[in-house]
Amino acid sequence: MLAANLGRDLDCWLRLLTLHDQPGLERAEPATIALLETALAVRLWPEGTSAPR
């Protein structure tokens, strides 16, 4: 139960702090947000370097 509450809190804070100006994402499913976060991380990762293991 504690892990579920922490996950929900993190989701709410993420939406409040980062998605407030993105139309349509304020009610997006968690899987959609996770996909967008992954896509952002891939775009920000320096080209020609490998990910940490």
Side-chain angles (χ1 to χ4, degrees), residues 13-37:
W13 277 107
L14 173 73
R15 290 171 192 262
L16 177 68
L17 296 175
T18 62
L19 300 177
H20 59 85
D21 59 344
Q22 302 294 320
L25 289 180
E26 64 274 357
R27 298 201 186 274
E29 294 291 324
T32 303
I33 294 172
L35 180 64
L36 292 173
E37 290 171 347

Side-chain angles (χ1 to χ4, degrees), residues 31-53:
T32 303
I33 294 172
L35 180 64
L36 292 173
E37 290 171 347
T38 304
L40 177 63
V42 168
R43 287 195 322 241
L44 294 176
W45 197 262
E47 190 173 328
T49 60
S50 62
R53 296 179 189 239

